[in-house]
Amino acid sequence: MTRVYNFSAGPATLPESVLRQAQAEMLDWNGIGASIVEISHRSAEFIAVAARAEADLRKLIGIPEDYAVLFLSGGATTQQALLALNFASPGGTVDYVVTGHWGKTAIKQVRPYVKVNIAADGEPDGFTDIPPRESWQLTPGADYVHITANETIHGVEFRGDAPDVGEAPLFADFSSSIASEPIDVSKYGVIYAGAQKNLGPVGVAVVIVRRDLLKREGLPRADIFDYRSHEARDSMLNTPPTWNWYLAGLVFRWMLEEGGVEEFARRNAEKSRIVYDAIDGSGGFYRNQVLPEFRSRMNIPFFLPDEALTARFVAESKEAGLLALKGHKAVGGLRASLYNAMPVNGARALADFMRDFQKRHG
Amino acid sequence: MTRVYNFSAGPATLPESVLRQAQAEMLDWNGIGASIVEISHRSAEFIAVAARAEADLRKLIGIPEDYAVLFLSGGATTQQALLALNFASPGGTVDYVVTGHWGKTAIKQVRPYVKVNIAADGEPDGFTDIPPRESWQLTPGADYVHITANETIHGVEFRGDAPDVGEAPLFADFSSSIASEPIDVSKYGVIYAGAQKNLGPVGVAVVIVRRDLLKREGLPRADIFDYRSHEARDSMLNTPPTWNWYLAGLVFRWMLEEGGVEEFARRNAEKSRIVYDAIDGSGGFYRNQVLPEFRSRMNIPFFLPDEALTARFVAESKEAGLLALKGHKAVGGLRASLYNAMPVNGARALADFMRDFQKRHG
């Protein structure tokens, strides 16, 4: 068995040690004679797994006690809809800052429920930058302001401190950059993320919500769409995706053991520098048009001069053990995702391949 | 490693051969150098896995071509809410037949959206029977009629042909009995099921929907709550729970290889007969009060004379390698779940233990 370097944008590569542990425990978890995927979410065994995962995530990210942590099924897109249902007021307005594809998706999910104000939009610039904070047209009294911390497709990332948006709570889709560097959770009202990028396995989403926001009435909704109900039942209102939650917990522990978010911030800076250097040093053979100060450390879209070369790059890189470098269909080209589980050597291998490919085809 | 007989109501026991295959493929699926949980849902490899799972499920259950099959995250409870959002009309009425706990939960999810008529209710009889069809008070012009094919907690199951409800389409929660015996899918408008009971792993739900119903406008809802959008994108509107879908596919194939639903109907009849015989032959030491013609083949709740004996039964059975026999907290007592993956020998071991326990404590 040879493990490749897997640059998939999500579902994405997992730490090999985590997969080995899941493999070892697949038929018999902790000597109980059954797999963790076969036991009740209400069993003492699973409740301990779930509690440990939450405690480890709190430690990893530095989540204050006045924030609830929910582990939910449905991915980030479902949470995008639930944000409006739980936190918007009847007749209220919500502000969205659009810096790529996923910001637009987030708006699509809430349009049936609320008035949406697009406070800023990077699309006129082809999503190559983030509109400066002073240009944002925020709504006084908005129910919340929504940003996408990192745009997985367009490769645009908020860098530095969270933007100051005044009175309204700041909600952020952190699907592709959560736990990639230290952040100040207290600057946010809600942080949410599908786990399948930086946190581990597909099939579970994490929602970190400031508890006072849970007192909002929100809009009419089913009990299963009510964060208050999930919070009151420790995310076990219904059967949660237990295996996915368990695997996420193994990833959290691995991250802590590796040195936590400070160490991953260091590695992620190094990995992305290696790949951007390969792009910028190619004399225009490889192109990435995002302004350097907004470039994503997690997802690097890049482009070759033509489609034929792109197809050849995808095929040859796969042969060389570099998987899933094809770009998202919305923008084409190539894309390298460099989440926490991607080792620095993976980025080096990609940069070496890029230089070699250019020599042969440039 | 000793595998126990696991009577959990869900998440529930899986076929050992399926777990062994998932274990073998955990780090390297099919020679690609990565796990199936690490690759894109839009990759050719995963799309093939997904398509095979759907084809196998269609074959297994006998799903006609004019029915769509969706693989969704969120479990059955989420689908309960989505039924109203997708298929109810503004101002319309929906009919619910309540035969246990889950029928009540289903209603709770739709009350914020629609007028609910409880057409029949088994609660006055303590959920020991199913109110006869001729007593149901159906609403002329109802948007749909909802039943719970098998009540996992109260152990009440619709037996025989699907009830005739006239013009309105019949929607059924089949979470705990799907694929347990042959059914005529064409009698239903929607069949839905969380997979974690009879179909395999937790974290994915199956929705089988007659395509003409997808033309209904439904109620205002986010795109992610729209079955039409999921259907148009082959259940890949957003990132689906790929690993769970894959594992469900392995279970479908196992079921086909074992002989399909006819063979499982035979085994399930045998298993449940063995356990009910142990109850009925105990001279009242063990009790199950559901009328025999409505007794569930999948979930058998049963009761001992007192709490102390019940606690002792749970502890001693666990020692004997019989896991998860404690009843649901809503009703107490004991419960044995006998899904497709439970071998006949598991039911025999339970019946033997019950007789031995009675000898020692009766």
Side-chain angles (χ1 to χ4, degrees), chain B residues 239-262:
Chain B
T239 311
T242 52
W243 191 82
N244 315 65
W245 191 339
Y246 146 81
L247 201 64
L250 296 185
V251 175
F252 302 159
R253 207 172 311 168
W254 172 80
M255 289 185 193
L256 287 170
E257 287 166 1
E258 291 286 308
V261 290
E262 292 79 7

Side-chain angles (χ1 to χ4, degrees), chain B residues 192-207:
Chain B
Y192 67 98
Q196 74 273 12
K197 297 168 187 292
N198 225 21
L199 284 187
V202 65
V204 63
V206 168
V207 181

Side-chain angles (χ1 to χ4, degrees), chain B residues 123-139:
Chain B
E123 191 151 23
D125 293 336
F127 293 130
T128 57
D129 62 6
I130 290 179
R133 169 64 190 86
E134 57 274 20
S135 73
W136 297 7
Q137 303 288 318
L138 298 175
T139 307

Side-chain angles (χ1 to χ4, degrees), chain B residues 13-97:
Chain B
T13 194
L14 287 162
E16 187 171 323
S17 64
V18 164
L19 289 173
R20 287 199 185 282
Q21 181 170 348
Q23 182 179 47
E25 297 175 343
M26 182 58 79
L27 278 91
D28 184 13
W29 181 82
N30 219 15
I32 63 170
S35 174
I36 195 83
V37 72
E38 296 178 295
I39 66 171
S40 172
H41 50 295
R42 302 198 195 283
S43 63
E45 291 86 353
F46 185 76
I47 287 171
V49 166
R52 171 73 185 264
E54 179 179 332
D56 283 347
L57 185 66
R58 284 184 176 277
K59 188 173 171 189
L60 183 70
I61 302 185
I63 303 172
E65 267 312 302
D66 59 330
Y67 284 69
V69 179
L70 306 177
F71 290 81
L72 303 175
S73 60
T77 314
T78 299
Q79 310 317 316
Q80 290 173 339
L82 297 186
L83 291 180
L85 290 176
N86 281 273
F87 304 116
S89 55
T93 298
V94 295
D95 284 346
Y96 278 70
V97 175

Side-chain angles (χ1 to χ4, degrees), chain A residues 3 6-15 19 195-202 299 324 337-342, chain B residues 34-41 239 242:
Chain A
R3 293 267 299 166
N6 173 10
F7 296 91
S8 175
T13 194
L14 286 163
L19 289 172
Q196 74 274 11
K197 297 169 189 289
N198 225 21
L199 285 187
V202 66
N299 311 96
S337 295
L338 304 171
Y339 302 126
N340 285 0
M342 171 61 66
Chain B
S35 174
I36 195 83
V37 72
E38 296 178 295
I39 66 171
S40 172
H41 50 295
T239 311
T242 52

